[in-house]
Amino acid sequence: MRRPTIKDVAERAEVSLKTVSRVINDEPGVRARTRERVNEAISELGYRPDPSARSLRSAQPYALGVVYDNPNPYYIIAVQNGVLSACRETGYGLQIHPCDASSPVLAADLIDLVQGARLAGLVLAPPMSEQMELVKELVAQDIKLVRIVSAAADPHDGAPCVWVDDHDAAYDITEHLIQLGHQRIGFLWGGTSHKSSWERYKGYAKALADYGIEEDDTLVLPGDYSFDDGFRGARRLLALPDRPSAIFGSNDEIAAGVLAAARSSGLNVPYDLSIAGFEDSPFSKQSWPPLTTASQATEAIARHATYRLIAELRRDNETPIETHPNEGFSPVLVVRGSTAPPRPKA
């Protein structure tokens, strides 16, 4: 069965091709009854406009780009799925663009991407979303964008965003470990170019301070958001004369690396070592024991960010649309089998 065309829609609705095009593109000047008839024909035929063709035929681009640099594939897949679902629901195409956040020519590359691919706007994932100089350069070129950022509240910095409260979620994880009876709690950083790493560390440190536990610098190690860094960091912590009884990895991949290191050292998780991660990725559910973590609705966050961008684009076109303001998301503690009270010392 052939795919329905715009001509089929025009014939079904008994209007011109021009009228169908104006309805699809949300242009003003179409009578309400005519618009309703065209939309009914689109629905009955199952017609879906081709975003790339729309961009070529009109001065208005109908594709978005999502830009990322993150070693965690599960996070990136969730971001892509969230953006894609919003694009499909609103008729936009999507271009995926991995990049190097540390590149000195990143701004120029993204400007070339938007202009060359005729993108309507960009969804910036961390850490690019948190590089304000980059954001300012893109905005100066009149590039529409939305950012996914780590923050405890709306940053109110003039650029549309969706923020994630990593700080309080990390506090909750650390508090959970403390309330189980752990005093020596290791912390493994994610990449320092990601603000989420700093927020998660600050949440960890704040919980220790609030419970009167002095922070031990030997229990806090640098790294990146990866399994290998979790494994290496855990081996270093477990080799200490007074090793930690619990380790908090800045994401679930790190925590999975900690779990592997514990097993290679002959430790029983959670009774010899409690382990917690962050994000509630597939790693956290597939490991054994399953990981205590913070459930972060990454797909929903990315979807809302995309709606936020599309709202800005349609507002510029004077097209009525439901308002999507900046919004915050709070990851929620999920307690699973990887955490338990520490064994009493002999």
Side-chain angles (χ1 to χ4, degrees):
M1 186 175 179
R2 72 180 182 86
R3 182 177 177 177
T5 66
I6 191 172
K7 184 179 178 182
D8 296 327
V9 175
E11 290 175 353
R12 174 69 67 91
E14 299 180 343
V15 297
S16 67
L17 293 175
K18 174 75 171 174
T19 299
V20 175
S21 178
R22 291 170 69 185
V23 171
I24 291 172
N25 294 328
D26 287 326
E27 295 178 13
V30 180
R31 291 179 180 176
R33 179 63 191 121
T34 301
R35 188 181 294 275
E36 182 181 343
R37 202 162 68 244
V38 171
N39 284 327
E40 286 176 355
I42 289 172
S43 177
E44 290 168 0
L45 293 169
Y47 172 71
R48 294 183 66 85
D50 182 345
S52 59
R54 290 167 71 194
S55 292
L56 289 172
R57 287 195 300 267
S58 71
Q60 181 67 29
Y62 285 96
L64 305 178
V66 59
V67 181
Y68 66 88
D69 178 9
N70 191 310
N72 181 354
Y74 291 107
Y75 176 81
I76 295 307
I77 290 169
V79 168
Q80 290 177 3
N81 286 342
V83 175
L84 182 59
S85 68
C87 285
R88 283 175 172 167
E89 290 173 14
T90 53
Y92 279 81
L94 178 62
Q95 183 160 335
I96 309 297
H97 188 72
C99 63
D100 179 1
S102 63
S103 170
V105 294
L106 178 58
D109 287 345
L110 294 183
I111 292 167
D112 288 345
L113 169 70
V114 171
Q115 294 174 348
R118 300 195 71 238
L119 300 179
L122 297 175
V123 177
L124 298 182
M128 285 78 63
S129 58
E130 295 158 346
Q131 298 175 3
M132 287 311 296
E133 286 304 314
L134 170 65
V135 172
K136 289 175 183 176
E137 287 189 62
L138 296 177
V139 171
Q141 293 296 318
D142 200 29
I143 292 174
K144 301 298 180 184
L145 56 86
V146 67
R147 304 169 300 139
I148 300 172
V149 300
S150 178
D154 189 341
H156 293 296
D157 52 14
C161 74
V162 170
W163 77 91
V164 182
D165 188 356
D166 293 284
H167 178 280
D168 283 2
Y171 184 103
D172 291 344
I173 290 172
T174 310
E175 181 178 54
H176 163 68
L177 294 170
I178 294 169
Q179 290 179 347
L180 286 174
H182 296 280
Q183 295 286 305
R184 291 185 59 74
I185 303 170
F187 181 86
L188 298 180
W189 277 72
T192 55
S193 63
H194 292 257
K195 192 179 178 187
S196 59
S197 292
W198 292 91
E199 291 297 310
R200 293 172 193 179
Y201 166 71
K202 288 190 287 187
Y204 157 83
K206 180 72 161 53
L208 293 182
D210 284 354
Y211 279 85
I213 301 172
E214 185 175 352
E215 186 178 337
D216 184 342
D217 291 343
T218 65
L219 297 181
V220 179
L221 297 181
D224 206 346
Y225 283 128
S226 71
F227 177 95
D228 288 345
D229 276 26
F231 184 86
R232 284 190 292 263
R235 290 294 293 244
R236 286 177 59 188
L237 290 176
L238 296 177
L240 293 172
D242 186 12
R243 68 170 180 82
S245 62
I247 297 177
F248 175 9
S250 288
N251 77 346
D252 292 331
E253 280 203 69
I254 293 173
V258 175
L259 180 59
R263 285 189 173 155
S264 71
S265 301
L267 298 177
N268 180 295
V269 176
Y271 301 110
D272 294 326
L273 180 72
S274 283
I275 301 171
F278 201 109
E279 289 174 10
D280 199 23
S281 71
F283 263 127
S284 68
K285 305 176 187 72
Q286 295 165 0
S287 64
W288 187 260
L291 294 170
T292 291
T293 186
S295 180
Q296 177 174 288
T298 303
E299 193 167 322
I301 291 166
R303 185 165 53 249
H304 188 90
T306 308
Y307 285 133
R308 178 76 177 85
L309 173 59
I310 292 171
E312 290 295 316
L313 295 170
R314 292 184 174 177
R315 185 174 295 109
D316 285 352
N317 296 335
E318 298 182 350
T319 303
I321 185 173
E322 180 185 354
T323 300
H324 283 272
N326 291 350
E327 183 173 332
F329 288 79
S330 298
V332 178
L333 174 66
V334 178
V335 177
R336 297 195 178 110
S338 67
T339 54
R343 285 190 195 273
K345 290 190 177 181

